[in-house]
Amino acid sequence: MVPAGRRWSQKVTESSRALDLEPGVFALVDPREIALSLQRSAEASVNRKAGPFRSAMSMLNFYINRAGRNLPAERRACLEAAKGELRRLYGRTELHDAD
């Protein structure tokens, strides 16, 4: 059993006010569909503090980082591919493009 304070990242993912995520976005199997869902959520959000690209990428990175070593290699590869799809959707070819 995990102590109560150890599941904060799940709560953030489920109830973050930064982006209203579509249900099951991180369970999708197609990296492009994950990216498109994050794009829709980021562009529709009125609570985000950064631009839509940064907000979507931040949420994806947050999920990958919090899942950590519990994330199977195949799942991690899919989520990492979703980062590339997000970059393509926003016309970002460089890792350090500004918003």
Side-chain angles (χ1 to χ4, degrees), residues 49-99:
K49 295 178 183 175
F53 171 74
R54 282 184 43 197
S55 294
M57 188 63 78
S58 291
M59 187 56 79
L60 181 53
N61 279 318
F62 175 81
Y63 183 80
I64 292 169
N65 291 339
R66 291 302 131 220
R69 63 181 160 258
N70 297 325
L71 197 60
E74 182 178 310
R75 191 74 206 131
R76 178 177 289 277
C78 177
L79 294 170
E80 290 291 339
K83 287 184 189 181
E85 290 295 333
L86 260 178
R87 288 184 190 103
R88 277 189 279 288
L89 287 171
Y90 283 99
R92 307 293 178 102
T93 55
E94 296 295 321
L95 293 176
H96 302 290
D97 280 351
D99 255 329

Side-chain angles (χ1 to χ4, degrees), residues 1-97:
M1 177 137 182
V2 177
R6 296 281 312 261
R7 295 286 179 166
W8 66 269
S9 59
Q10 180 179 0
K11 183 178 179 183
V12 169
T13 302
E14 292 172 350
S15 63
S16 171
R17 289 186 46 211
L19 292 182
D20 292 326
L21 298 176
E22 296 173 356
V25 61
F26 296 117
L28 295 170
V29 295
D30 181 7
R32 182 156 177 84
E33 289 301 317
I34 294 169
L36 286 168
S37 176
L38 288 169
Q39 181 185 38
R40 284 190 298 270
S41 295
E43 291 180 359
S45 175
V46 294
N47 293 318
R48 62 182 156 73
K49 295 178 183 175
F53 171 74
R54 282 184 43 197
S55 294
M57 188 63 78
S58 291
M59 187 56 79
L60 181 53
N61 279 318
F62 175 81
Y63 183 80
I64 292 169
N65 291 339
R66 291 302 131 220
R69 63 181 160 258
N70 297 325
L71 197 60
E74 182 178 310
R75 191 74 206 131
R76 178 177 289 277
C78 177
L79 294 170
E80 290 291 339
K83 287 184 189 181
E85 290 295 333
L86 260 178
R87 288 184 190 103
R88 277 189 279 288
L89 287 171
Y90 283 99
R92 307 293 178 102
T93 55
E94 296 295 321
L95 293 176
H96 302 290
D97 280 351

